[in-house]
Amino acid sequence: MRRAFTHIMLLGFGFAYVYPFLWAVGSSLKSPIDFLDTGLGLKPTTFMWDNYVKAWEQASFGTYFLNTLIISVATVACVLLLTAMAGFALARHTFPGKKALIGVVLATFLLPHGYTIIPVFDIVKALGLLDTLWSVILVQVGGGLVFGTFMFMAYFQTMPRELEEAARVDGAGYNTLFFRVILPLSRPMAATLGLFTFISSWNNFFLPLVFTLGKPELRTLGVGLYAFTSQTSTNWTLLCAGAIISLAPIVVVFVVAQRYVVDAIAGAVKA
C-alpha cells in the first residue's frame, strides 16, 4: 500500500509538471473561439493544424529559426572547445595563483546578468558588433565559460593519469594528447554540457533581445514569439503553436544526446 501510494503521488506530481506543456500542445490546435471556450481543457473541439503554418509564415519563423540555429550551434562549439581546454589545464597543472584564479572565476559565476549587461553592451558596441549575430554568440559563450570549465575540470580529475603517461611514452605531444586522447574520452561530458548549453542558448530571450534590438530580422525564436502579442490583444493559439515549434528541436537534441548524458551522470556517481 505504501508503494502504491508513493507511485500515485509521483504520477500526480508528474502530471502537474507536464500539464502546461500538454495544454500548450492542445491550445496550439484550437481555434481562437475554442481556446476561450475550453479554458484549461486539453482536447480541441476541432483540430486546426494550419495554426502551425500560420505561425511559421506570419511571424517570419523561418528566419528566426535559422538565426537561433546558427547562434546555438556556434555557442555550443565555442563553449565546448574553450571550456575543455581550460578545464584540462586546471585539472592537470599546478601553477602559482591557481586557487586564487579559481576563486575569482567562481565569483563571476554568481553575478546576475542584470549587473553586467551595461558594461558588456558597451564592449560589444565598441567592437562594432552590435546588431549582429556575433554579438549574441560571443556574449553567450562568455556566460557559459565558467560553468563549463568547472564541469570539465571535475571530469578530467577523475581520469587516470596513466592514460597521459602512456600517450607521452608513445611520443604524443601536448596537443596530440589533448585532441586525440583526452577529448575523445570526455565525450559523455561534452554531450552533457553541449545539451545544457544548447538548451540555454536556444531558449535565451534577454541577450538576443538586447543585442539585436536595432535589426528585427536578426531576432531569435524566443524574441520572435512577441510577434503574436500587441498592446490590445494576443493571438494565443498561434503563440502556443510558435512555442511548440521552438521546443521541437530541443526535444530532438535531447533524444539524441540522452545516452551520453546518462553515461556522464553514471560516471560521476561512480567517481
Side-chain angles (χ1 to χ4, degrees):
M1 291 296 296
R2 182 180 300 176
R3 180 177 298 178
F5 178 75
T6 302
H7 288 173
I8 293 173
M9 291 292 294
L10 292 175
L11 287 174
F13 283 118
F15 179 76
Y17 186 80
V18 177
Y19 179 82
F21 174 75
L22 299 178
W23 177 83
V25 174
S27 298
S28 67
L29 298 173
K30 297 178 182 179
S31 64
I33 297 177
D34 192 16
F35 178 86
L36 297 176
D37 291 340
T38 56
L40 296 178
L42 298 178
K43 186 178 179 181
T45 304
T46 56
F47 289 85
M48 306 291 293
W49 296 101
D50 60 336
N51 284 344
Y52 288 92
V53 179
K54 293 179 180 178
W56 184 272
E57 294 177 350
Q58 293 183 14
S60 302
F61 260 38
T63 302
Y64 299 157
F65 187 92
L66 181 60
N67 293 338
T68 309
L69 183 63
I70 293 174
I71 291 173
S72 300
V73 172
T75 300
V76 170
C78 293
V79 167
L80 290 182
L81 179 62
L82 296 176
T83 56
M85 292 190 293
F88 182 68
L90 291 175
R92 286 296 192 250
H93 298 281
T94 301
F95 51 87
K98 176 181 177 180
K99 293 184 178 180
L101 176 62
I102 293 177
V104 172
V105 173
L106 184 60
T108 62
F109 180 70
L110 304 176
L111 293 176
H113 289 296
Y115 288 94
T116 58
I117 189 63
I118 294 178
V120 171
F121 183 87
D122 290 338
I123 293 173
V124 171
K125 185 178 179 180
L127 293 174
L129 297 176
L130 195 61
D131 291 330
T132 64
L133 294 181
W134 276 110
S135 62
V136 183
I137 294 171
L138 293 178
V139 174
Q140 290 189 159
V141 169
L145 290 180
V146 177
F147 178 74
T149 298
F150 281 100
M151 290 276 287
F152 269 112
M153 183 179 70
Y155 189 81
F156 288 143
Q157 286 175 342
T158 64
M159 285 187 176
R161 291 185 177 271
E162 288 77 8
L163 293 172
E164 301 174 38
E165 296 173 356
R168 293 186 184 280
V169 169
D170 291 338
Y174 192 83
N175 293 332
T176 303
L177 170 66
F178 177 76
F179 286 104
R180 300 191 64 178
V181 179
I182 300 299
L183 197 58
L185 292 176
S186 63
R187 189 179 302 169
M189 177 53 64
T192 303
L193 181 60
L195 177 63
F196 291 155
T197 305
F198 184 85
I199 293 175
S200 176
S201 176
W202 190 274
N203 292 330
N204 201 322
F205 173 80
F206 182 61
L207 294 179
L209 176 64
V210 172
F211 293 101
T212 62
L213 192 61
K215 288 188 177 181
E217 64 272 15
L218 297 180
R219 290 174 178 173
T220 59
L221 286 173
V223 181
L225 289 175
Y226 260 95
F228 302 114
T229 63
S230 64
Q231 294 181 352
T232 58
S233 63
T234 300
N235 195 328
W236 292 105
T237 56
L238 297 188
L239 180 62
C240 291
I244 299 303
I245 292 174
S246 66
L247 287 174
I250 296 178
V251 176
V252 174
V253 171
F254 179 78
V255 171
V256 173
Q258 64 175 341
R259 179 170 63 90
Y260 298 104
V261 175
V262 173
D263 291 342
I265 295 175
V269 171
K270 291 179 182 179

